[in-house]
Structures are given as structure tokens and as C-alpha cells.
């Protein structure tokens, strides 16, 4: 059994064949999926999917790329949604310095507000970090994010950074990039970080694992991530599946 801990089934890429995508996931042993909402449209759809399917859960938050569009009313709405029985975390939030739509100062402000929100509603955080590790880590520490803990989604940093995250009560989630031949850091993290701190994800429809790289990703491919972690650690895929599933259930407080 596998849990895809970060997937965007609410993306337009699935408008034509969503049920087929879900059916393939279930056939592949992926029997829990966590759908991430990150703006008004995708949050609404994530909630709809969580209400429609017993095995789908929702995360609600505001993406750093679109931080400039985030209003106090949006954050109040997210805080209200946090009490929904199928909402299991706040995010994805964080910082993204690759794209320049939202100024860094506004991204940081919205990030801090969501950390504080998560603390008020006592839910963990799902963190997005692109080209902003130093500021992400500093803000998490300054805002005492260890109070709720969280997960570093699709982690691409160093083993040292991963260990610092773990010290702050944050899980490390690996996705398709760990299967890429040139992905040195994710492979080192998969090798060095203990299984009890790892979760697996697709980030579908993005970042499809090898040999599907460049194509649309989907939850049925998350076993390929587990397979590569098992290879790197020298353990069975069953051991990785069991550990990452238990980790995800505990982290998201998902029933058996």
C-alpha cells in the first residue's frame, strides 16, 4: 500500500480523465491521496474531491508564486476550512524565488501568516521551497514552526538541510526527481535520511519519475519513487511502502 502525500488531482490536466487516473492509482496500490489546494480555485476543487472520495484528503493554503494575490479574506477562508474533517494540513506555502510574479517581501509576509495560521488551527505545514532555502529555514525558525511541524515537499536540498528540518519536526518528502539519473542531492537524502522521516509523493501532474520524465505525472507512478528509495537504501520496496505509509498516516492523522 502506498500514499501519495502530495498530488494535484485538482489540476486542469485531469479534466478529461480524472476517474481513469484515480482507478489506475488504486490498481497500483495507491489507496490514499492527499490533494493540495494553493489558490481559490484549486482549494475549492480539493475540498470537492475530498468530499466525493473517501480515500482523498485535502490540504489548503496559498502558493508563494501567487502570494501577491492573497488577501486577508483568503487567509480567513483558509482558516475556516481548516476545521473541515478532511483537511489535514496547511499549504502548500513557502517561498519561490525562481519566478518573479510575487516580490520576496510579500512572499515572506504571506508565508509567516500561514505558519501562524497553522499554529492557531493546530495543523502541520506543507512547505514549498524553490531557490530560497536560506530564507525558508530562517522564517521557519523565527516563527517557531516546530510547534506544528510539517513536511518539506519534493525536497531537493542537501542532507545537512534535511537534518536541520528534521530537528524542527519536519518530515522529508521525495518525489519523481529522486529517480532522475543526475539528481545527486535527492539520492543522497534518500540514502542518508532514516525511513521514519521520509514520505513519498508525485506532485502530479508535474515531475513524473523516470522512465516517464517529461510526461504527465499521476499517482499510480508513486511506487516508482518508493522503488528507487528501496534501491538506494538496499531494502525491499515493501519495507519502504510500509514505512512511508505509516509515516503519512501519522503525519496527516489519516485513519487506517
Amino acid at each position: 500500500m502506498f500514499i501519495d502525500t502530495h498530488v494535484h488531482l485538482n489540476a486542469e490536466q485531469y479534466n478529461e480523465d480524472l476517474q481513469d487516473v484515480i482507478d489506475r492509482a488504486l490498481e497500483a496500490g495507491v489507496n490514499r491521496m492527499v490533494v493540495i489546494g494553493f489558490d481559490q480555485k484549486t482549494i475549492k476543487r480539493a475540498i470537492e474531491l475530498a468530499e466525493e472520495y473517501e480515500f482523498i484528503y485535502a490540504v489548503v493554503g496559498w502558493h508563494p508564486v501567487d502570494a501577491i494575490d492573497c488577501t486577508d479574506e483568503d487567509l480567513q477562508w483558509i482558516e475556516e476550512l481548516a476545521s473541515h474533517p478532511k483537511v489535514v494540513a496547511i499549504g502548500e506555502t513557502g517561498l519561490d524565488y525562481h519566478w518573479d510574479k510575487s516580490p520576496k517581501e510579500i512572499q515572506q509576509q504571506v508565508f509567516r501568516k500561514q505558519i501562524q495560521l497553522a499554529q492557531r488551527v493546530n495543523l502541520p505545514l506543507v512547505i514549498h521551497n524553490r531557490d530560497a532555502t536560506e530564507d525558508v529555514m530562517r522564517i521557519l525558525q523565527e516563527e517557531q514552526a516546530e510547534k506544528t511541524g510539517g513536511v518539506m515537499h519534493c525536497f531537493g536540498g542537501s542532507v545537512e538541510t534535511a537534518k536541520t528540518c528534521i530537528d524542527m519536526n519536519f518530515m522529508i518528502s521525495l518525489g519523481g526527481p529522486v529517480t532522475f539519473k543526475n539528481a545527486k542531492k535527492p539520492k543522497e537524502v534518500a540514502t542518508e535520511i532514516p525511513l521514519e522521516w521520509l514520505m513519498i509523493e508525485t506532485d502530479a501532474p508535474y515531475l513524473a519519475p523516470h522512465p516517464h520524465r517529461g510526461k504527465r505525472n499521476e499517482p499510480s507512478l508513486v511506487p516508482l519513487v518508493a522503488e528507487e528509495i528501496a534501491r538506494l537504501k538496499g531494502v525491499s520496496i515493501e519495507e519502504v511502502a510500509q514505512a512511508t505509509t505509516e509515516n503519512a498516516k501519522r503525519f496527516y492523522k489519516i485513519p487506517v
Side-chain angles (χ1 to χ4, degrees):
M1 187 174 94
F2 302 91
I3 297 180
D4 187 349
T5 63
H6 192 114
V7 58
H8 299 283
L9 292 177
N10 44 358
E12 293 178 353
Q13 288 92 327
Y14 300 117
N15 283 353
E16 302 300 318
D17 64 344
L18 178 63
Q19 189 57 54
D20 290 340
V21 169
I22 290 172
D23 289 344
R24 282 194 292 272
L26 295 173
E27 288 166 13
V30 184
N31 62 0
R32 299 282 191 281
M33 290 161 255
V34 181
V35 175
I36 312 296
F38 55 84
D39 58 18
Q40 282 194 11
K41 183 178 179 182
T42 58
I43 288 171
K44 289 175 183 175
R45 184 64 176 139
I47 296 290
E48 288 173 1
L49 289 168
E51 290 177 343
E52 183 176 353
Y53 294 93
E54 181 186 358
F55 48 84
I56 289 178
Y57 295 82
V59 171
V60 296
W62 209 272
H63 199 286
V65 169
D66 300 314
I68 197 166
D69 302 322
C70 184
T71 66
D72 286 339
E73 288 76 20
D74 290 320
L75 292 173
Q76 184 178 345
W77 175 55
I78 288 168
E79 188 161 351
E80 291 166 0
L81 286 175
S83 62
H84 190 291
K86 296 295 287 291
V87 168
V88 293
I90 300 299
E92 61 188 279
T93 182
L95 301 175
D96 191 316
Y97 293 169
H98 180 77
W99 306 107
D100 59 2
K101 176 183 175 183
S102 296
K104 293 179 181 179
E105 298 76 21
I106 292 178
Q107 287 193 43
Q108 292 177 20
Q109 185 180 39
V110 172
F111 184 24
R112 289 183 188 273
K113 286 181 177 180
Q114 289 184 86
I115 297 171
Q116 294 160 11
L117 189 164
Q119 290 170 348
R120 287 195 298 273
V121 300
N122 194 31
L123 286 177
L125 289 152
V126 175
I127 303 298
H128 172 103
N129 168 24
R130 189 167 187 188
D131 300 340
T133 298
E134 187 175 330
D135 283 350
V136 166
M137 300 302 287
R138 175 177 57 81
I139 289 171
L140 288 174
Q141 290 167 339
E142 288 175 357
E143 295 294 336
Q144 298 181 292
E146 71 276 2
K147 289 179 180 177
T148 61
V151 57
M152 308 306 286
H153 133 71
C154 207
F155 186 79
S158 67
V159 171
E160 291 72 22
T161 300
K163 289 178 178 177
T164 303
C165 294
I166 289 168
D167 288 342
M168 289 195 294
N169 196 26
F170 275 74
M171 303 291 292
I172 305 298
S173 183
L174 296 173
V178 77
T179 70
F180 300 167
K181 290 179 181 177
N182 59 348
K184 183 183 176 187
K185 285 185 178 179
K187 290 184 189 297
E188 288 175 348
V189 167
T191 303
E192 297 293 331
I193 297 303
L195 262 178
E196 57 262 35
W197 287 99
L198 294 180
M199 299 199 301
I200 55 176
E201 63 170 273
T202 57
D203 198 22
Y206 317 107
L207 297 173
H210 178 80
H212 305 276
R213 189 174 183 178
K215 300 176 182 176
R216 185 188 71 170
N217 199 3
E218 57 181 70
S220 63
L221 300 180
V222 81
L224 294 175
V225 176
E227 192 175 272
E228 178 63 7
I229 294 171
R231 186 189 71 80
L232 290 163
K233 285 191 169 300
V235 300
S236 68
I237 189 172
E238 290 80 10
E239 185 174 342
V240 173
Q242 182 176 355
T244 56
T245 295
E246 290 304 319
N247 293 343
K249 284 181 180 177
R250 184 177 65 252
F251 175 78
Y252 283 127
K253 296 183 172 63
I254 293 175
V256 174

